[in-house]
């Protein structure tokens, strides 16, 4: 099964073609990502209206290149998928409308994909792992620990009561005068910093429920930075390293709590998966690797180019759904909010 996937929910215009062969891992035939870095740099964050316009300008070329790289014409596809949310509605409309039009013209089935589900299923694209598995989904807008039981079957074990993990990285980067997106900048500065110089809090550490809270940690970094200002380059490096060390401890500890809850409900998971933009962070990957070794489970972390937003994960999620006979009508409306687990009660405002 050959599926074209389109992603426009945030600040990446992306399209890809993926082949799904029965139950094994998928094959990525093309994966084109155009990041809108310069467009938003001056604003220190993604500006929705600018993002939507940039998607309009870039999408045709990105889709054409994805098909050309895969050496395929529209007619050779078995389906077209697009992320229909959650995300910035202006961008979602651009990608969703374009994908629907392509499906209509080519006479192919259409799949409206949940962006979070696409992150959640990436480990099956790359490694062909079986259900169920324990997933840490950590991006700029979402931080959740989930039991992934099957396609469309997600149970939220815990999430953040305030900031998302990526958001905490972005806010710390902003307060230290580093660029956007903040995660990669903070990680880079942390390489030459001392992770033990500042003893930042580890919020929620040791709690039984696998929830996160990150705003107190972020505030602690701000107060420390204000106290020792003016900041030298080394101060910034040390603040980044100490912040990242606190986050890494918290992530491993919260994932450990999720193992217990997963075990009570579904038996011991054999695989721990990390996905979303924050999964690119080397220190967090190391912390989770140590946890996985200790728990005697396998850790699956996507390659760096599949951690951030991309079209391959959308194409793959579409292929998984289409293979189960699940397709969507061309009247499918964009969903700015679309929780993976519709029934779970969030402990706080943000999913
Ligand atoms: O999944 P993603 O590309 O977009 C969303 O759906 O949000 O995630 C982007 C988030 C941003 O907050 C970014 O700062 C964070 O992932 N991120 C990182 C790293 N690379 C990206 N956070 C920590 N360390 C990184 N290396
Ligand atoms: Zn994402």
């Amino acid at each position: 099964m050959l599926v074209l996937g389109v992603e426009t929910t945030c600040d990446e215009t992306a399209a890809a073609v993926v082949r799904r062969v029965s139950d094994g891992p998928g094959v990525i035939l093309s994966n084109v990502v155009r990041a809108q870095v310069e467009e938003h740099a001056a604003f220190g964050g993604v500006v929705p209206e600018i993002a939507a316009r940039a998607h309009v300008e870039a999408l045709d070329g990105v889709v054409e290149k994805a098909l050309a790289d895969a050496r395929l014409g529209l007619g050779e596809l078995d389906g077209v998928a697009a992320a229909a949310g959650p995300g910035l509605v202006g961008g979602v409309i651009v990608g969703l409308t374009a994908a629907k039009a392509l499906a209509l013209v080519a006479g192919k089935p259409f799949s409206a994909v949940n962006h979070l589900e696409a992150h959640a299923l990436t480990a099956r694209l790359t490694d062909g792992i079986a259900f169920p598995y324990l997933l840490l989904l950590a991006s700029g807008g979402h931080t959740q620990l989930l039991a992934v039981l099957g396609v469309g079957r997600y149970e939220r074990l815990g999430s953040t009561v305030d900031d998302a993990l990526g958001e905490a990285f972005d806010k710390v980067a902003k307060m230290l005068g580093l660029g956007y997106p903040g995660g990669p900048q903070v990680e880079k500065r942390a390489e030459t910093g001392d992770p033990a110089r500042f003893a930042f809090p580890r919020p929620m550490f040791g709690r039984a429920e696998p929830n996160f809270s990150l705003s107190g940690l972020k505030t602690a970094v701000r107060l420390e930075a204000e106290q020792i200002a003016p900041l030298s380059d080394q101060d910034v490096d040390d603040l980044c390293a100490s912040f990242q060390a606190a986050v890494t401890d918290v992530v491993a500890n919260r994932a450990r709590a999720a193992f217990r809850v997963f075990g009570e409900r579904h038996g011991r998971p054999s695989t721990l998966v990390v996905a979303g933009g924050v999964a690119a962070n080397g220190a967090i990957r190391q912390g989770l690797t140590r946890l996985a070794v200790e728990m005697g489970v396998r850790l699956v972390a996507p390659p760096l180019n599949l951690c951030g937003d991309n079209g391959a994960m959308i194409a793959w999620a579409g292929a998984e759904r289409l293979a189960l006979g699940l397709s969507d009508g061309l009247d499918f409306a964009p969903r700015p909010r679309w929780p993976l687990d519709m029934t779970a009660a969030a402990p706080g405002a943000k999913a």
Side-chain angles (χ1 to χ4, degrees), residues 41 60 63 276:
D60 286 357
V63 168

Side-chain angles (χ1 to χ4, degrees), residues 7 9-12 86 115-116 119 137-142 164-170 180-188 243-244 275-282 284 304 307-310 313:
E7 158 62 36
T9 63
C10 191
D11 58 345
E12 263 94 21
H115 176 93
L116 301 175
H119 277 302
L137 176 54
S139 67
H142 300 271
L165 274 165
E167 188 180 2
F169 273 93
D170 294 335
Y180 181 88
Q185 314 278 346
V186 170
E187 181 173 18
K188 181 136 204 354
F243 164 74
Q244 188 174 269
V278 180
N281 186 280
I284 291 175
L304 294 189
C307 286
D309 292 343
N310 63 86
M313 69 179 192

